[in-house]
């Protein structure tokens, strides 16, 4: 059973593809550099990518909550079902109305589905847009003192692989978080402890964040997406912890302290 992993070179997708390959499952990496290529912005690439696939992991780029994502997810789901895909696993976000609309599209697809609804990724600090700020020792974000139960992407990958390959996950919505909610000041303290460096969090306004990101060359559409996420999801609505990892895998979710210890070397060349 060939499994298409869209976003196959991203944070979740490449981990899922690696795990599926380790299990001996036929995997098709859905990316613009894949064979055949897959591009969310070019629907003409979807047919070949879906050909022969019986399961698909849907990870929308840049985020399932951005304008236009819902139409693309709906069209992709229709293409997938028409191509013979029998199982869909959607990566979604917490507290995002547009993401929940995309979830509903997958629920109504007529095939087996699983929703993986996730908190903010811990790996945003180690391999995403927060890597350089951590290395520089200052995390300046428009996040106030709101807490977030950051989730380990390795947990997301484990849940997604289980949903793609095992029975018992169809029709389930797994809300994935870490075991405790942390403010960004708490995160800075955990990172400082793990690295032995002084890393601080500085709350700023969304306008200050957007201006600083633009100065560092971040594309305008990415800035708009990030400021939207800060504004819409970091207002306290997602501060609670969920038990999706345990429900799906029968084990506890990974903690941020362990993530920070395991990745301390990534930030070693800063400061």
């Amino acid at each position: 059973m060939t499994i298409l992993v869209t976003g196959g070179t991203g944070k979740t997708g490449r981990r899922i593809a690696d795990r599926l390959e380790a299990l001996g499952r036929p995997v098709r990496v859905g990316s613009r550099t894949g064979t055949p290529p897959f591009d969310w912005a070019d629907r003409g690439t979807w047919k070949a990518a879906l050909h022969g696939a019986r399961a698909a992991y849907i990870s929308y780029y840049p985020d399932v909550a951005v304008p236009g994502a819902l139409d693309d997810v709906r069209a992709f789901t229709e293409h997938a079902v028409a191509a013979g895909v029998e199982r869909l696993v959607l990566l979604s976000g917490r507290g995002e109305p547009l993401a929940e609309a995309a979830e509903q599209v997958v629920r109504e697809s007529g095939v087996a589905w699983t929703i993986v609804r996730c908190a903010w990724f811990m790996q945003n600090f180690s391999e995403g847009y927060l890597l350089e700020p951590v290395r520089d020792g200052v995390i300046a974000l428009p996040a106030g003192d709101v807490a977030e139960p950051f989730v380990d992407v390795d947990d997301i990958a484990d849940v997604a692989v289980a949903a793609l390959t095992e029975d018992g996950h169809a029709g389930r919505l797994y809300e994935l978080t870490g075991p405790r909610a942390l403010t960004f000041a708490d995160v800075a303290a955990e990172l400082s402890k793990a690295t032995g460096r002084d890393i601080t969090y500085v709350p700023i306004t969304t306008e200050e964040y957007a201006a600083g990101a633009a100065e560092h060359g971040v594309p305008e559409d990415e800035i708009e997406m990030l400021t939207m996420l800060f504004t819409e999801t970091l207002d306290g609505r997602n501060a609670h912890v969920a038990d999706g990892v345990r429900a799906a895998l029968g084990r506890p979710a990974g903690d941020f302290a362990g993530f920070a210890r395991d990745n301390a070397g990534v930030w070693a060349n800063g400061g």
Side-chain angles (χ1 to χ4, degrees):
M1 182 180 73
T2 297
I3 301 173
L4 172 64
V5 180
T6 68
T9 58
K11 290 185 186 69
T12 63
R14 72 173 186 273
R15 288 173 166 85
I16 291 167
D18 288 346
R19 283 163 168 76
L20 291 171
E21 289 175 357
L23 291 172
R25 300 298 182 107
V27 181
R28 183 171 299 147
V29 175
S31 73
R32 285 174 290 184
T33 58
T35 305
F38 174 87
D39 188 347
W40 278 112
D42 182 1
R43 295 186 182 184
T45 65
W46 297 1
K47 183 176 180 179
L50 283 163
H51 179 70
R54 290 296 174 264
Y57 173 70
I58 306 174
S59 174
Y60 188 81
Y61 179 84
D63 188 271
V64 74
V66 303
L70 179 59
D71 287 342
D72 282 344
V73 170
R74 180 180 290 110
F76 178 83
T77 299
E78 292 171 354
H79 278 69
V81 173
V85 170
E86 301 168 352
R87 185 178 299 198
L88 295 171
V89 177
L90 174 70
L91 176 68
S92 186
R94 303 175 84 210
E96 301 173 357
L98 285 175
E100 292 177 10
E103 294 174 8
Q104 193 61 28
V105 167
V106 173
R107 287 172 181 262
E108 296 173 354
S109 64
V111 300
W113 58 266
T114 306
I115 306 298
V116 183
R117 185 189 288 170
C118 300
W120 278 49
F121 299 171
M122 295 180 189
Q123 279 73 7
N124 286 335
F125 295 96
S126 60
E127 54 191 76
Y129 58 93
L130 296 175
L131 170 60
E132 291 306 322
V134 175
R135 285 177 171 170
D136 293 340
V138 179
I139 305 171
L141 294 174
D145 59 356
V146 173
E148 172 72 15
F150 300 92
V151 64
D152 193 325
V153 173
D154 286 318
D155 284 342
I156 300 172
D158 287 344
V159 172
V161 168
L164 288 164
T165 63
E166 301 173 2
D167 294 332
H169 301 286
R172 298 292 301 273
L173 187 157
Y174 294 120
E175 192 162 344
L176 308 187
T177 75
R180 57 190 174 121
L182 304 172
T183 66
F184 280 84
D186 295 332
V187 165
E190 292 284 2
L191 294 171
S192 297
K193 181 179 179 180
T195 61
R197 298 176 48 228
D198 185 15
I199 299 170
T200 59
Y201 163 63
V202 178
I204 58 176
T205 66
T206 54
E207 292 77 12
E208 289 171 331
Y209 175 77
E215 289 178 3
H216 285 84
V218 178
E220 184 177 350
D221 58 346
E222 186 173 343
I223 293 173
E224 291 178 358
M225 179 197 71
L226 291 171
T227 54
M228 178 271 293
L229 291 175
F230 280 116
T231 302
E232 291 194 6
T233 64
L234 280 177
D235 60 359
R237 74 181 73 177
N238 295 324
H240 60 283
V241 170
D243 66 349
V245 174
R246 185 179 294 279
L249 304 176
R251 64 165 177 80
D255 186 68
F256 194 93
F259 158 77
R261 288 193 302 271
D262 291 344
N263 289 274
V266 173
W267 305 297
N269 65 338

